[in-house]
Amino acid sequence: MASRFSAFSVLLAAVLGVASSFYLPGLAPVNFCETENGECKSAIELFVNRLDSVESVLPYEYDAFDFCQLEEEKHPSENLGQVLFGERIESSPYKFHFKKEEVCQQVCRKEYNPGNKDDISKLTFLKNGMHLNYQHHWIIDNMPVTWCYDVEDEQKFCNPGFPIGCYITKTGHPKGACVVSSSFNEKDTFYIFNHVDITIYFHSEDETEARLVAAKLEPKSFKHTQTDKLDCSGPPMGIPNEFKEKLSIVYTYSVKYAKSNIKWASRWDYILESMHHTNIQWFSIMNSLIIVLFLSGMVAMILLRTLHKDIARYNQMDSVEEAQEEFGWKLVHGDVFRPPRKGMMLSVFLGSGAQIFIMLLVTLFFACLGFLSPANRGSLMTCAVVLWVLLGTPAGYVAARFYKSFGGEKWKTNVLLTSFLCPGIVFAVFFLMNLILWGEGSSAAIPFGTLVAVLALWFGISVPLTFIGAYFGFKEHAMEHPVRINQIPRQIPEQSFYTKCVPGIIMGGILPFGCIFIQLFFILNSIWSHQMYYMFGFLFLVFIILIFTCSEATVLLCYFHLCAEDYHWQWRSFLTSGFTAVYFLIYAVHYFYSKLQITGTASIILYFGYTMIMTLIFFLFTGTIGFLACFWFVTKIYSIVKVD
């Protein structure tokens, strides 16, 4: 009872953590007015988030760069998902008042002396950020401040971030955002965007109160020569690569307001639509779904028709002579339920896979309802982690039930491995990645206190729940098989190339991977290219189709192997659908070399380290689906056919 109460407390705290920082669907929006009163606000706060880059896996906090900062910073409460994703939201010195327009207002001035080592270090870090195209992420009223610019086919792309600056190489080639202006023309020079023109859009039903529906900006670079009067004009602010003279950078902003017809409930639409602005992507998703549904239907139809004929033929054998001449999958009925080798490891994998499967199912369901949208920062990861912690009971129960059906007696070892093996591998790799992030000073490094909290959730809630599930699993009677197991194992005849283990496993993962690779592209884009993922409806549909595809492909191959008198189906069924994870790994490697521009040893290690964690999770998830489908199939067909 105490562990369940603790789990409920953690879940409640996570939900309240999300609600205290950002709105949830159904909660009231914030109203703004020119004169502040009890019902509406006048001051508009601008928050800053971590800075990241498509050329590096290492995000950094806003404070890591020498930008304008407040003496007393205010940090909104962050949930567990935000901390794990490396988000670090804090207040900024940019302050606005509703409908009060400003022109070329100074925020701060930064001075750099070439004789000061601290100044050299700060400026060098700033130039490295511009060289790697690091981007700001600003937030106003929980809305990302977007930088919208024209792309091909007269489309507009709205990026929820804007670059620190850009770099002109020694050969005069513009790198990054330097292509936006012809005034960036000095070779081997960095140009910093030290000015922003911000436009805040609002929607109002009357003239007294309004709601903010968008915030857009245009980054600019100005070399402010006058100190008393700033006009935000003139040449851009260039920083030579060789720092020899004193340098002064003035940060300024301008803000104006515009009325919009967009309603508050639809204010995220223009960002999400611009990120997937071509209809080809939607057509590709639908085309993939139709193809997979068609192939799955064909596999199911062929399998059911062939199997129906087999069962009818076997049950029509009345004479003893006909019964003695058994053939096909009925011939191995006395060995098909023989315990597999390494049954302990298989049962542990099945327990962890069941835990991951339920976690993904519930998480995607809530995401489809809109509770885990991009507006609720970190909620997706928070929901997944909390669910994984609370689902220790199904993991222990499934592992114990199958281990007992395999004839296992070392129940202590089984429950310990279920609790610590797969989670321990994930945590060990994650901790090594975190050490690299700590060494690089990245904001993605999980604080020590959060690591202790994660370990407390694991050891204090998940492990006890796993023990409870294992207790009930071992307490029940072992699963009854529809046929008796022979004392002497039957010899397996020589197999053809197509019915051998390795070719079947390799072929089995192709069809499931075919139904997810397009969605994988969008998911990898959201993780490594910092694009927002919001197509949870399509993802949930693909998730369901993946389950059916893994099940049908594995059952079909299992049927072929049984017909070839090979009764070792347990591990083969798990590995057949689990091999989809290998195709996922190959695709992730292809994505790294073809789509990303990541440089640096640390970033490369981090990319492949996190990819291996995702591969392991996907392997356990798909492998469990294949095994459970085959277990149901084998139990069903041998319970229907007559066996003497």
Side-chain angles (χ1 to χ4, degrees), residues 86 223 249 314 341 364 379 459 515 536:
K223 186 175 184 179
I249 302 177
Y314 289 150
R341 299 175 182 175
L364 288 178
S379 58
F459 287 94
C515 79
F536 294 109

Side-chain angles (χ1 to χ4, degrees), residues 18 93 109 121 155 228 319 383 389-390 398 428 431 442 476 541:
V18 179
R109 180 186 296 271
S121 176
Q155 297 281 343
D228 54 344
S319 64
C383 179
V389 170
L390 299 179
V398 171
F431 184 74
S442 172
E476 293 192 18
L541 181 59

Side-chain angles (χ1 to χ4, degrees), residues 95-134:
K95 301 296 181 182
F96 315 125
H97 289 275
F98 184 64
K99 287 190 177 182
K100 184 180 179 181
E101 299 189 352
E102 305 282 357
V103 178
C104 201
Q105 290 293 314
Q106 178 176 328
V107 184
C108 70
R109 180 186 296 271
K110 295 292 182 178
E111 304 284 348
Y112 300 94
N113 191 334
N116 189 319
K117 291 184 179 180
D118 189 38
D119 289 349
I120 295 175
S121 176
K122 290 179 181 178
L123 193 60
T124 301
F125 191 76
L126 187 62
K127 289 191 291 186
N128 287 337
M130 288 186 278
H131 185 75
L132 292 175
N133 197 27
Y134 270 83

Side-chain angles (χ1 to χ4, degrees), residues 248-269:
S248 177
I249 302 177
V250 180
Y251 291 90
T252 56
Y253 73 92
S254 298
V255 60
K256 61 181 180 179
Y257 297 85
K259 194 170 183 179
S260 174
N261 294 325
I262 300 174
K263 293 186 177 181
W264 186 85
S266 305
R267 62 181 190 162
W268 280 80
D269 292 353

Side-chain angles (χ1 to χ4, degrees), residues 426-437:
V426 172
F427 184 82
V429 177
F430 181 77
F431 184 74
L432 291 175
M433 299 299 102
N434 205 53
L435 289 178
I436 297 175
L437 292 169

Side-chain angles (χ1 to χ4, degrees), residues 359-375:
M359 176 197 74
L360 292 175
L361 181 65
V362 178
T363 301
L364 288 178
F365 177 74
F366 279 114
C368 288
L369 297 179
F371 288 97
L372 308 181
S373 67

